[in-house]
Amino acid sequence: MVVRRSFAVVARRAALAAGAVGACAALTATAVPATADSVDLGRLGGIELLNSAWSFDKAAVSIGLTYSTTDQRGNQARATAGLYLPPGLPPAGGWPLVVWAHGTIGIGNDCAPSHRPQSERNRSYFNRILDSGYAVLAPDYQGLGTGGNFSYYNTSVESRSLLDAVTAVRGLPVPLTGHYVLVGQSEGAHAVMSAAALYAQNPRYAPGLNGVIATGLRTNPAKSLREMFRSSSTGSDNQVGYAGYYLAAMEELNPGSVTPYLSDFGREFVEKAATECLSDLVADAHGRRPAALVADPDRPTPTFEADIKSLVSYQEKVPADLMIGYGTADIDVPPADTPAYGPALQARNPWATVTVNAYPGKDHSGAFLASLPDALDFLHTHLP
């Protein structure tokens, strides 16, 4: 993301659009943002006003930011995020912050959600969140929007993308409280659990985490993904897209661990996965299932489970209260293990309250919307 205007100009326009000139007087300062080449993680690298077509109806201001983080190999990298401010003047002490971790969109550079129109589902959800007085910070995940590719479901990339974005947004003279809640759906649910685990190891990383909401969480990836590749598996059409992104990420991290075991169609499909966003990639499958991607659906690769665990595993530490939600009719991420997952987490994390909510008859996307009343109650309780 390039800095298209000076920091002062963008910030001044943001304050005016929010109707918060008095409360946000600091936004008119002539400070110059630091570069993302700094060794400091979460260092703000630039800002811009986002196109309203990429935003939410209830967002008074939509700000794009670039910040420093690390990639899947621990190297210094840039990431982008969107910050959406609610209408009206900020309350005393600033707006409470919701950090949104998005679900699967793609791993190619052009799939960055801060520079794409929001889905109808997400607009419905976050219009309510914004209208309830919460600011929303939405990281794109490192590799989306900054050149290159996102390492799909990579615990390290997701967790640092989220927590470094929190650090970066605090570099903006925008009135926000010092507390936040992580909210994630599907892949985003894995991202917030990964970020919570990182936070548990070092609460000073991005202090102020007051809670976590995860819906559509894949609770046992090595098991469920092995099942998804079998010839007998059933599920949504999107699963072939998820499979393509997993295989691409595994091959990128460990060259030669995937490609030799793909079918001819699989090699072509995984190559497309590097650039195509989910809807286009799924259309390219023409109804094929994940089993069509590999030569042996019962053994996708010789080291499949180990490679998946290396990519997606996180320490199951919960540093703050956690709400897990799932739809009983979810065929994207079947929730067979989810009811038992919450109590197991609770037993290992007695200092936090872990709640599991089932949404009867709701599919993967429907459960996210159905969880909104419970999410708002959680936010009201956990954000001062």
Side-chain angles (χ1 to χ4, degrees):
M1 182 189 300
V2 296
V3 182
R4 297 175 182 170
R5 303 175 182 87
S6 72
F7 184 94
V9 170
V10 173
R12 186 179 298 113
R13 287 186 60 185
L16 290 171
V21 177
C24 305
L27 286 170
T28 62
T30 57
V32 176
T35 67
D37 294 330
S38 167
V39 296
D40 297 329
L41 299 179
R43 178 65 64 90
L44 188 65
I47 62 172
E48 64 175 335
L49 289 177
L50 293 175
N51 188 326
S52 61
W54 304 332
S55 187
F56 305 99
D57 297 336
K58 294 294 185 177
V61 183
S62 303
I63 303 170
L65 55 143
T66 305
Y67 59 97
S68 58
T69 185
T70 56
D71 64 15
Q72 62 268 38
R73 291 181 171 78
N75 297 321
Q76 186 89 20
R78 294 181 304 134
T80 55
L83 174 66
Y84 308 94
L85 302 182
L89 292 170
W95 287 295
L97 183 64
V98 170
V99 181
W100 160 240
H102 65 80
T104 301
I105 297 176
I107 64 174
N109 186 63
D110 292 340
C111 301
S114 69
H115 282 65
R116 293 169 59 87
Q118 303 293 333
S119 70
E120 182 62 33
R121 183 201 71 182
N122 288 351
R123 286 199 300 271
S124 296
Y125 189 99
F126 286 104
N127 278 334
R128 283 284 304 279
I129 297 291
L130 288 160
D131 208 32
S132 299
Y134 300 98
V136 176
L137 174 64
D140 290 327
Y141 305 145
Q142 190 278 321
L144 298 178
T146 51
N149 294 101
F150 162 52
S151 184
Y152 187 62
Y153 258 80
N154 187 304
T155 295
S156 177
V157 171
E158 290 174 344
S159 60
R160 294 185 185 277
S161 292
L162 295 183
L163 297 186
D164 289 339
V166 172
T167 300
V169 80
R170 289 171 173 167
L172 282 171
V174 172
L176 300 171
T177 69
H179 305 280
Y180 62 97
V181 165
L182 295 168
V183 177
Q185 156 70 7
S186 192
E187 179 194 357
H190 177 266
V192 298
M193 296 298 291
S194 299
L198 178 59
Y199 185 95
Q201 296 174 44
N202 183 7
R204 294 183 180 181
Y205 195 100
L209 175 62
N210 277 22
V212 180
I213 299 174
T215 57
L217 176 66
R218 190 180 292 278
T219 56
N220 191 340
K223 174 186 174 183
S224 64
L225 293 176
R226 180 65 175 263
E227 293 302 314
M228 191 176 75
F229 274 93
R230 296 191 190 279
S231 299
S232 59
S233 75
T234 59
S236 77
D237 291 342
N238 284 340
Q239 287 186 337
V240 72
Y242 306 153
Y245 295 138
Y246 278 114
L247 293 170
M250 292 161 62
E251 174 66 18
E252 193 275 335
L253 282 176
N254 187 9
S257 63
V258 169
T259 300
Y261 310 101
L262 298 177
S263 64
D264 291 342
F265 165 69
R267 281 189 286 274
E268 178 184 347
F269 191 80
V270 171
E271 183 176 347
K272 288 181 178 180
T275 57
E276 291 189 356
C277 301
L278 183 62
S279 59
D280 291 334
L281 185 64
V282 171
D284 286 342
H286 301 291
R288 293 180 178 91
R289 299 288 303 156
L293 301 176
V294 294
D296 183 357
D298 292 325
R299 192 171 186 246
T301 73
T303 55
F304 185 80
E305 286 89 347
D307 290 344
I308 285 292
K309 288 179 180 179
S310 177
L311 181 70
V312 309
S313 293
Y314 51 81
Q315 290 189 344
E316 294 180 332
K317 291 185 177 180
V318 181
D321 289 350
L322 166 66
M323 185 187 98
I324 297 173
Y326 69 95
T328 61
D330 189 341
I331 60 172
D332 281 77
V333 181
D337 297 325
T338 307
Y341 186 70
L345 281 180
Q346 182 67 84
R348 289 192 289 272
N349 298 272
W351 50 83
T353 298
V354 178
T355 304
V356 180
N357 296 328
Y359 300 99
K362 299 299 182 182
D363 63 11
H364 192 60
S365 188
F368 178 57
L369 283 179
S371 73
L372 180 56
D374 292 326
L376 285 169
D377 288 344
F378 187 96
L379 294 176
H380 293 330
T381 302
H382 290 82
L383 285 179

